[in-house]
Amino acid sequence: MSPTAESSPAGSAPEYPIRTERLILRPITADDAAAMHAYKSDPDAVRYVPYAPLELADVERRIATTWSNTRFAQEGDAVCLAVEDRATGALLGDVVLFWRSETSRSGEVGYILDPRFGGHGYATEAVGALLALGFDGLGLHRIVARIDERNTASARVVERLGFRQEARLVESEWFKDEWTTLLVYAQLDDEWRDRVHAE
Ligand SMILES: CC(C)(COP(=O)(O)OP(=O)(O)OC[C@H]1O[C@@H](n2cnc3c(N)ncnc32)[C@H](O)[C@@H]1OP(=O)(O)O)[C@@H](O)C(=O)NCCC(=O)NCCS
């Protein structure tokens, strides 16, 4: 699909799996539940994501409902993808691309790694593939990441990928029983194209 000012993700089903140098991004299935539970039950790993540590049954239920969606039918939809090590087949984590607005062609990324697989650039590589999917595949104009300012590892992921910090929203969210200061990062399609072509 070629991105144009008129293009819309509506009805888009990206081609899976998405391959990068070291990773496969593919739809999440019921078989992923146990491996996902290992990190989604870890209080440190879910500290800055919008759910509490999950029980295995929670993970199974979410996979059966929202997390296994593979298509963008309408704005508000999200596609979550498992991030798998091409070499070993291990589940390293998962990423999500939200389609936020049809009119504004905007999206948002989210990501989480199993802490055992941190520090290798896997999240950066996986989110880089989500940007390609969003800008090139779906024709989005703008993709944002909203990050708790204490989550410095997450901010480094998007900074490595060329996102600009646009805002620091002081104590803007009441999140997990405390005020949270959010950093808003964004990247535009043209910025992404310039960066990718320069690499
Ligand atoms: C946010 C999160 C995914 C970042 O994980 P991460 O391991 O730091 O990110 P990456 O996988 O991209 O790895 C980058 C690190 O690996 C290092 N690295 C090692 N080998 C590398 C390689 N071949 N390529 C790139 N980076 C490499 C980088 O230097 C970098 O370390 P640094 O940030 O200390 O400089 C992880 O902390 C996490 O899952 N947190 C919990 C969930 C969460 O908060 N999600 C975000 C919500 S907004």
Side-chain angles (χ1 to χ4, degrees):
M1 188 193 320
S2 62
T4 69
E6 293 77 35
S7 66
S8 160
S12 294
E15 279 184 33
Y16 304 112
I18 296 167
R19 289 190 173 78
T20 68
E21 190 184 338
R22 298 178 293 174
L23 307 173
I24 284 176
L25 275 58
R26 57 155 178 81
I28 293 167
T29 72
D31 292 341
D32 295 313
M36 290 184 92
H37 177 246
Y39 57 91
K40 292 189 186 282
S41 60
D42 177 338
D44 291 333
V46 303
R47 172 70 191 82
Y48 300 115
V49 300
Y51 43 82
L54 298 179
E55 303 289 336
L56 180 59
D58 300 323
V59 174
E60 289 170 340
R61 190 164 46 249
R62 287 173 187 241
I63 291 175
T65 54
T66 48
W67 288 351
S68 53
N69 176 47
T70 58
R71 297 175 60 85
F72 293 96
Q74 56 193 7
E75 70 175 16
D77 281 353
V79 166
C80 303
L81 297 172
V83 178
E84 189 178 295
D85 185 334
R86 283 179 74 153
T88 65
L91 182 74
L92 306 176
D94 57 275
V95 292
V96 57
L97 179 62
F98 298 93
W99 180 20
R100 291 297 189 202
S101 166
E102 177 159 23
T103 306
S104 305
R105 287 191 289 129
S106 62
E108 179 171 348
V109 288
Y111 37 89
I112 181 169
L113 281 185
D114 184 319
R116 292 175 298 164
F117 300 113
H120 297 281
Y122 294 137
T124 304
E125 191 169 322
V127 177
L130 276 194
L131 294 183
L133 171 62
F135 288 131
D136 222 10
L138 306 178
L140 295 181
H141 171 58
R142 172 182 160 91
I143 296 179
V144 303
R146 293 182 304 132
I147 299 174
D148 185 309
E149 77 169 348
R150 294 168 295 183
N151 197 354
T152 51
S154 179
R156 285 197 298 275
V157 168
V158 295
E159 285 168 3
R160 270 192 293 274
L161 289 166
F163 281 76
R164 288 171 288 99
Q165 187 186 316
E166 291 190 331
R168 176 172 180 268
L169 306 176
V170 179
E171 295 194 5
S172 56
E173 305 261 323
W174 181 252
F175 181 71
K176 298 192 173 177
D177 294 330
E178 59 182 342
W179 289 114
T180 293
T181 294
L182 275 185
L183 304 180
V184 179
Y185 283 86
Q187 190 160 168
L188 299 178
D189 48 1
D190 286 349
E191 293 169 328
W192 176 78
R193 280 196 184 85
D194 287 350
R195 187 175 57 80
V196 167
H197 289 144
E199 280 173 359

